[in-house]
Amino acid sequence: VELLVVIALVGIIVGILLPAVQSVRSAARRTECMNNLRQVTVAVLNFQSANRRFPVGIYADDDPQFPSMTWLVQVLPFIEHDKIWQNARHAYQIGSSPFDHVGLRTPVSTYSCPATPGADQPQWTHENKVVALTCYLGVNGTNYKTKDGIFYVESDTRPADVTDGLSNTFLIGERPPSNDYWYGWWYAGFGQAASGSPDMLLGIREVNDGANYAETCPPGPYQFAPGRLDEHCDLFHFWSVHFAGANFALADGSVRLFAYDANALLPVLATRAGAEIAILP
């Protein structure tokens, strides 16, 4: 009887402690995820300081120098990955396709959220291509057609262009890669109409043009809402595996978790010069 009582007590204690341990681990991963986003944000701001403009969201696929190069490649020297940057520059100089570069399948741990399963490892896509992924996407404004954010295809945004204020304008947001790993590449991408969205760029109210393996998804516009790792259509909106919201970086360098109930506020923060009034929660 005493042994059964002890076993029962141990079971009760384990039942109490296990959720607490899981909660602590989840909080630690969430903090690490936010720290990675903060490092990426600082890299973008350092790039801007050195070049007097923000990185190009994505170079056009027919750009003569850097076709399909993303903003994440451009900030590599500012997160102590100069070797990958030099390899990328050499690969572009010899004229090879960016989709054949070694960098396309080279993970950068800072670009992934530790809480997102598989995001920190190279993954096979459904077209037998090995790719490295990111959980941090540049905010291209309302959607890829409006080009009213800081990042978009062939963008040349300077701080003076952000008339809504750097502290009131989104720079980067969080979204896991798509469940087939076809969207969410950090090194290069194509996306809708070669815009980079929803690959490494994404709009707060993104739309779906019905091409590139998303024919069955609604046309949108999509809202800021919870998503699922096994739901392909969730690639069209910002979300995270964290409870209740997702991390966003503002153009002044601040990083914070926005709850899903702030959905109505996000379009105001997505545009660089919309002249809207934004009151942060």
Side-chain angles (χ1 to χ4, degrees):
V1 172
E2 291 176 349
L3 180 60
L4 292 175
V5 171
V6 170
I7 292 174
L9 290 174
V10 169
I12 293 172
I13 293 172
V14 170
I16 295 173
L17 291 180
L18 190 57
V21 171
Q22 291 175 337
S23 177
V24 170
R25 288 178 176 175
S26 177
R29 289 193 296 266
R30 184 170 63 249
T31 300
E32 190 175 354
C33 185
M34 183 175 286
N35 287 339
N36 283 356
L37 178 55
R38 186 172 287 110
Q39 290 184 56
V40 176
T41 304
V42 170
V44 171
L45 297 183
N46 287 339
F47 178 101
Q48 182 275 315
S49 179
N51 297 275
R52 299 184 179 180
R53 64 169 176 82
F54 291 100
V56 175
I58 184 172
Y59 282 92
D61 61 328
D62 58 354
D63 187 90
Q65 190 175 13
F66 299 121
S68 300
M69 177 188 280
T70 76
W71 64 276
L72 289 157
V73 176
Q74 298 162 58
V75 302
L76 283 170
F78 300 95
I79 55 169
E80 300 180 355
H81 281 290
D82 193 64
K83 183 177 180 180
I84 302 177
W85 166 243
Q86 295 301 333
N87 288 340
R89 289 190 61 185
H90 174 71
Y92 275 105
Q93 286 171 355
I94 63 177
S96 61
S97 167
F99 301 103
D100 295 326
H101 293 184
V102 173
L104 187 72
R105 54 183 182 273
T106 303
V108 175
S109 59
T110 310
Y111 290 166
S112 64
C113 174
T116 304
D120 60 342
Q121 299 293 325
Q123 300 289 348
W124 286 90
T125 72
H126 57 273
E127 290 200 354
N128 294 323
K129 186 180 289 293
V130 181
V131 297
L133 306 162
T134 184
C135 299
Y136 307 123
L137 283 65
V139 179
N140 64 16
T142 306
N143 59 61
Y144 82 91
K145 298 179 180 180
T146 58
K147 299 181 180 179
D148 51 4
I150 289 179
F151 292 121
Y152 50 91
V153 60
E154 294 289 347
S155 60
D156 186 26
T157 309
R158 302 173 187 275
D161 300 324
V162 188
T163 57
D164 284 351
L166 298 178
S167 61
N168 291 315
T169 306
F170 279 145
L171 188 67
I172 307 166
E174 188 177 2
R175 189 217 66 192
S178 63
N179 63 344
D180 60 355
Y181 303 118
W182 193 249
Y183 296 99
W185 307 355
W186 74 262
Y187 186 86
F190 192 79
Q192 305 186 88
S195 66
S197 175
D199 229 330
M200 78 303 300
L201 300 177
L202 190 64
I204 289 296
R205 293 290 186 263
E206 195 55 84
V207 294
N208 171 25
D209 65 11
N212 299 323
Y213 308 101
E215 299 92 340
T216 59
C217 296
Y222 285 76
Q223 307 291 315
F224 178 52
R228 302 200 322 264
L229 293 171
D230 61 350
E231 174 51 65
H232 189 63
C233 298
D234 284 335
L235 64 93
F236 285 106
H237 65 90
F238 288 100
W239 67 282
S240 80
V241 296
H242 314 306
F243 177 73
N247 292 310
F248 285 87
L250 294 157
D252 65 350
S254 60
V255 177
R256 59 190 298 175
L257 183 79
F258 280 76
Y260 293 122
D261 59 13
N263 172 56
L265 173 66
L266 266 58
V268 176
L269 298 173
T271 58
R272 66 181 182 275
E276 310 99 334
I277 297 176
I279 300 176
L280 297 183

